[in-house]
């Protein structure tokens, strides 16, 4: 395996689809079955979940603690510690506005300083979900009444946990939520590397889920 001196970047590509069907349509997501032409000319079937996209927020307070919440996730039969997150409910929605809404609704917090930490595909082998993970700083309590939560959110627990403890928990195999893992490790890497000022601005382009500024 030779040395690769160029910076790596993922690139758009689209193989021919000869037929597509949607055997399942749910409340927020659906399942699509595509017949895809491979480079050798053979045709294979690919099933995947179609997802509107999500945003998540690493909210860092003045004591280097991150706001986390604990939520029951039925598919994995666990209560997971997570960071505030939510769906992009409206096609073309500005992801920053969605992230600000989620932080307000879930943690009743607002933030003055926003950056982009990372953009990820959570499970690109079986789902087209794209998530933008933000860093939010200069936190304060939001005004007004707390948002009424429902369903799985009703028994949420909240905590403020030092970033270093989250990183330790990830590496120890104790914390598993995708956005928490990526967010904590990305922030830790930024702090150890070029610093928070090197992060992309909050309105940086996001080709996976284009939006109007």
């Amino acid at each position: 395996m030779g040395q690769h001196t160029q910076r790596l970047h993922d690139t758009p590509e689209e193989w021919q689809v000869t037929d597509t069907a949607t055997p399942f349509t749910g409340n927020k997501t659906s399942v699509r079955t595509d017949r895809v032409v491979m480079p050798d000319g053979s045709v294979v079937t690919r099933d995947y979940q179609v997802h509107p996209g999500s945003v998540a927020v690493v909210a860092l307070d003045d004591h280097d603690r991150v706001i986390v919440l604990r939520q029951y996730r039925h598919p994995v039969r666990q209560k997971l510690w997570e960071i505030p997150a939510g769906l992009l409910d409206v096609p073309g929605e500005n992801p920053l506005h969605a992230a600000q809404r989620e932080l307000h609704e879930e943690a009743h917090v607002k933030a003055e300083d926003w950056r982009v930490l990372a953009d990820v595909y959570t499970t690109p082998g079986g789902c087209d979900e794209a998530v933008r993970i933000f860093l939010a700083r200069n936190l304060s309590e939001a005004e007004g009444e707390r948002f009424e939560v429902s369903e799985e959110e009703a028994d949420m627990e909240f905590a403020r946990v030092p970033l270093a403890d989250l990183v330790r928990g990830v590496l120890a195999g104790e914390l598993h939520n995708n956005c928490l893992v990526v967010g904590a490790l990305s922030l830790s890497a930024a702090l150890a590397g070029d610093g928070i000022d090197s992060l992309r601005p909050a309105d940086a382009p996001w080709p996976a889920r284009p939006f109007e500024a």
Side-chain angles (χ1 to χ4, degrees):
M1 195 172 292
Q3 189 73 14
H4 201 292
T5 54
Q6 290 178 299
R7 285 176 59 162
L8 304 182
H9 60 276
D10 300 331
T11 54
E13 179 153 346
E14 192 152 344
W15 293 358
Q16 182 187 355
V17 174
T18 62
D19 186 56
T20 188
T22 307
F24 170 81
T25 301
N27 185 23
K28 298 288 188 183
T29 67
S30 60
V31 170
R32 188 174 294 162
T33 298
D34 290 344
R35 288 180 59 77
V36 184
V37 181
M38 296 286 105
D40 67 0
S42 63
V43 179
V44 301
T45 300
R46 292 286 179 260
D47 304 313
Y48 58 99
Q49 184 183 26
V50 179
H51 193 287
S54 308
V55 292
V57 184
V58 176
L60 187 70
D61 71 14
D62 294 338
H63 303 286
D64 290 328
R65 298 177 305 178
V66 175
I67 295 175
V68 292
L69 51 99
R70 197 167 177 231
Q71 190 168 352
Y72 175 64
R73 294 300 188 183
H74 184 71
V76 295
R77 307 299 198 271
Q78 289 199 1
K79 272 193 168 181
L80 300 180
W81 284 103
E82 308 184 350
I83 56 176
L87 295 175
L88 287 169
D89 288 325
V90 182
E93 182 177 15
N94 187 310
L96 174 60
H97 298 164
Q100 290 169 331
R101 180 186 70 234
E102 291 299 331
L103 185 61
H104 179 273
E105 289 183 358
E106 292 195 348
H108 203 61
V109 165
K110 62 181 181 178
E112 298 301 317
D113 186 274
W114 290 81
R115 314 287 173 103
V116 175
L117 263 178
D119 297 324
V120 294
Y121 293 118
T122 53
T123 46
C127 181
D128 72 352
E129 181 182 15
V131 181
R132 169 156 280 190
I133 302 175
F134 290 91
L135 172 64
R137 297 184 303 161
N138 298 347
L139 308 182
S140 60
E141 288 293 312
E143 288 97 28
E145 291 296 307
R146 284 214 64 143
F147 179 74
E148 285 296 315
V149 297
S150 60
E151 298 170 354
E152 288 99 333
E153 299 175 353
D155 69 345
M156 276 187 187
E157 302 168 58
F158 289 85
R160 293 195 180 206
V161 179
L163 175 62
D165 290 354
L166 293 181
V167 171
R168 275 193 290 271
V170 169
L171 298 179
E174 296 163 354
L175 299 171
H176 306 88
N177 174 265
N178 188 302
C179 293
L180 183 147
V181 171
V182 174
L185 297 185
S186 296
L187 177 54
S188 181
L191 291 168
D194 295 331
I196 286 175
D197 287 338
S198 70
L199 294 172
R200 286 172 291 159
D203 60 354
W206 189 20
R209 293 292 184 274
F211 61 93
E212 296 293 324

